[in-house]
Amino acid sequence: MTINTLDWTSAWNGRVSKADAAPFDIRCGDLALRLATEIRANRLPFINLPYREELEKDLEAQTPWLQSFEHMLLLGIGGSALGARALQKAFYPQQDRPCHNGRSLWIADNVDAATLDAWFELLPPEKTVVVVISKSGGTIETLSQYFLARLWLQKSLGDDWKRHVMLITDEAKGYLRQEANALGLASMPVPDYLGGRYSVLSAVGLVPAAFLGMDWKALIRGALAVGAPLLNMGAGASELHRHPSWKLAVWNSALMAKGYSQIIFFSYVPLWAQFGLWFTQLWAESLGKEGKGSMPLPAVGVTDQHSTQQMFLDGPRDKACLLLSSPSLSRGSQFGNDLPEEWAYLRGAHFGDLLQAEGLGTQMALTKTGTPLIELRMGRTGEEEAGRLMALLEITTVLTGWLLDINPLDQPAVELGKRLANARLGAQGYAEESADLEAFLGRAPEQQEF
């Protein structure tokens, strides 16, 4: 039997010690009560997945239709795209390999006019389903893509365009929900209280997973297994105190109190590299508030040993590390015995052995230079393990936010940029933002050619 483990051997390193955890650890009782209350009220649905039964029923019914297409064009940004991309790269790597001729997922997660136009030019509309994801139904980047995609489909397919669209949005409100109801478009809900960065194990991430043929039910099973000990907590706090998410939250809070302002997510599971970008949004958007939080830094082993690791090892001592590894990765091709003498130590070894050695080397080097480090060692790298990892990091993020006395479920600062962009585009109702724009654009320029 393979298991997943957290290795704490190098966690209390550098300026941080177990004693620094005490001021945070004593809050376990109060936060256990808060957690139990929020779970029972379904305000943390990514832990108990109260929508699971309906989701599984709907997704099983929709999968044959989804898989009747050769291409899926996913329109979404931030949490509407990062989880889907992480799963795609981890469990459908064949799309990036030579001579791929199976189904393909294309994710439009930016305002990139050239790429969007290229997709419209090259994708066959009759073989493409467009999936539009926005919880609010009003995300301007996603809606603008949808308006253009709708026009593209209509030009080629006429009235049949509606059969090529699915909207994933709020169950009751917002423009996309109105659109789905008015036009009879296929749709699936984003449950209440499920923000984008916590939504990967809902229709947001599982619709593209089902399209690509992943074992999406295993993703759900894995997540539920991690949350299960927290669903029936008794009057005490013992269940939470033993839970790895609590220990990680206390560790991160102690790190921040000691001036560690950055947390490296170093993936030595190559196909899981995109989990680092998913974690970056989860952590940064949840905890970067009121001058608090730590900056997540995604890194890929061994690629970033030749770039950012110089800074990690010899730069400011303000970084801690979560290092993702797995002993079960493929060892790959074996080296022959005809290697030059200076490389004789590789004779008979496997290419994958190099990754394991490099990961150990990085772990030891970071520890030696005083970097607090926890190894997330995955026994296997299947869908169930991915669900476990995502659930663990989501719960850790919420608990860390509570220990910092901030709300880890909102993102107030993000809205300012959106309001200013809307004002710039001429939207109504942004008088204050329009005035700020006028002042900003009216500044005397100070420029230099290069």
Side-chain angles (χ1 to χ4, degrees), residues 10 32 82 123 208 213 217 237 269 271 286 309 317-318 331-332 347 361 389:
S10 303
L82 286 165
L123 286 174
K217 288 187 178 180
V269 181
L271 292 181
S286 297
Q309 184 154 274
R317 312 316 306 156
D318 58 354
R331 296 183 68 194
R347 293 171 184 169
L389 177 67

Side-chain angles (χ1 to χ4, degrees), residues 183-212:
L183 299 177
L185 303 177
S187 68
M188 291 188 70
V190 181
D192 290 340
Y193 300 106
L194 195 64
R197 59 190 178 275
Y198 296 94
S199 68
V200 60
L201 299 183
S202 70
V204 172
L206 298 186
V207 162
F211 167 74
L212 294 175

Side-chain angles (χ1 to χ4, degrees), residues 1 17 48 50 77 104 131 166 211 274 290 374 383 416 423:
M1 177 181 178
S17 69
N48 60 336
I77 197 167
S104 295
V131 175
M166 172 182 274
F211 167 74
Q274 291 290 322
E290 302 175 20
I374 292 175
E383 287 93 335
L416 175 58

Side-chain angles (χ1 to χ4, degrees), residues 270-292:
L271 292 181
W272 286 26
Q274 291 290 322
F275 280 86
L277 295 178
W278 170 82
F279 173 74
T280 294
Q281 189 216 7
L282 173 68
W283 195 258
E285 199 167 76
S286 297
L287 303 182
K289 293 159 191 170
E290 302 175 20
K292 301 177 183 178

Side-chain angles (χ1 to χ4, degrees), residues 135-195:
K135 163 67 172 171
S136 68
T139 308
I140 184 60
E141 299 90 348
T142 302
L143 279 183
S144 63
Q145 292 170 333
Y146 168 61
F147 294 145
L148 294 172
R150 185 176 65 183
L151 184 62
W152 169 66
L153 290 172
Q154 288 171 340
K155 285 180 178 178
S156 297
L157 304 176
D159 290 340
D160 196 43
W161 76 272
K162 298 174 188 176
R163 200 186 74 81
H164 291 250
V165 173
M166 172 182 274
L167 307 182
I168 300 175
T169 189
D170 189 272
E171 193 165 14
K173 60 184 183 294
Y175 174 78
L176 288 180
R177 176 52 57 193
Q178 296 171 14
E179 185 86 339
N181 293 342
L183 299 177
L185 303 177
S187 68
M188 291 188 70
V190 181
D192 290 340
Y193 300 106
L194 195 64

Side-chain angles (χ1 to χ4, degrees), residues 83-382:
R85 176 172 282 117
L87 295 176
Q88 175 192 25
K89 298 298 184 182
F91 302 114
Y92 200 75
Q94 55 265 46
Q95 184 174 330
D96 295 327
R97 294 171 179 169
C99 304
H100 171 66
N101 60 5
R103 285 187 291 270
S104 295
L105 171 65
W106 311 98
I107 300 177
D109 63 345
N110 202 351
V111 181
D112 181 354
T115 298
L116 191 65
D117 285 347
W119 282 332
F120 290 156
E121 179 182 352
L122 298 173
L123 286 174
E126 70 280 2
K127 298 179 181 179
T128 302
V129 59
V130 176
V131 175
V132 188
I133 305 177
S134 169
K135 163 67 172 171
S136 68
T139 308
I140 184 60
E141 299 90 348
T142 302
L143 279 183
S144 63
Q145 292 170 333
Y146 168 61
F147 294 145
L148 294 172
R150 185 176 65 183
L151 184 62
W152 169 66
L153 290 172
Q154 288 171 340
K155 285 180 178 178
S156 297
L157 304 176
D159 290 340
D160 196 43
W161 76 272
K162 298 174 188 176
R163 200 186 74 81
H164 291 250
V165 173
M166 172 182 274
L167 307 182
I168 300 175
T169 189
D170 189 272
E171 193 165 14
K173 60 184 183 294
Y175 174 78
L176 288 180
R177 176 52 57 193
Q178 296 171 14
E179 185 86 339
N181 293 342
L183 299 177
L185 303 177
S187 68
M188 291 188 70
V190 181
D192 290 340
Y193 300 106
L194 195 64
R197 59 190 178 275
Y198 296 94
S199 68
V200 60
L201 299 183
S202 70
V204 172
L206 298 186
V207 162
F211 167 74
L212 294 175
M214 295 176 205
D215 188 354
W216 54 269
K217 288 187 178 180
L219 289 162
I220 292 175
R221 286 197 306 272
L224 284 174
V226 170
L230 305 176
L231 301 185
N232 297 298
M233 288 190 293
S238 58
E239 292 91 344
L240 179 59
H241 199 264
R242 289 193 299 266
H243 201 274
S245 64
W246 175 255
K247 295 179 181 294
L248 281 170
V250 167
W251 180 68
N252 276 289
S253 300
L255 287 170
M256 294 177 214
K258 282 292 184 178
Y260 289 92
S261 60
Q262 303 187 66
I263 180 77
I264 306 163
F265 189 93
F266 219 142
S267 177
Y268 276 83
V269 181
L271 292 181
W272 286 26
Q274 291 290 322
F275 280 86
L277 295 178
W278 170 82
F279 173 74
T280 294
Q281 189 216 7
L282 173 68
W283 195 258
E285 199 167 76
S286 297
L287 303 182
K289 293 159 191 170
E290 302 175 20
K292 301 177 183 178
S294 58
M295 184 66 196
L297 302 172
V300 179
V302 299
T303 303
D304 288 317
Q305 288 180 221
H306 296 266
S307 59
T308 52
Q309 184 154 274
Q310 173 64 34
M311 179 63 74
F312 298 161
L313 294 176
D314 206 21
R317 312 316 306 156
D318 58 354
K319 300 168 189 68
C321 181
L322 291 171
L323 190 144
L324 182 67
S325 70
S326 176
S328 69
L329 300 178
S330 169
R331 296 183 68 194
S333 300
Q334 189 173 19
F335 295 104
N337 292 320
D338 58 345
L339 300 183
E341 192 59 33
E342 62 181 308
W343 309 111
Y345 60 87
L346 289 177
R347 293 171 184 169
H350 292 256
F351 183 58
D353 298 341
L354 181 60
L355 178 70
Q356 301 291 354
E358 297 265 21
L360 179 61
T362 289
Q363 185 175 351
M364 291 178 64
L366 287 168
T367 300
K368 188 174 182 179
T369 54
T371 302
L373 181 147
I374 292 175
E375 183 183 7
L376 296 160
R377 190 181 301 128
M378 310 305 297
R380 284 194 290 254
T381 54

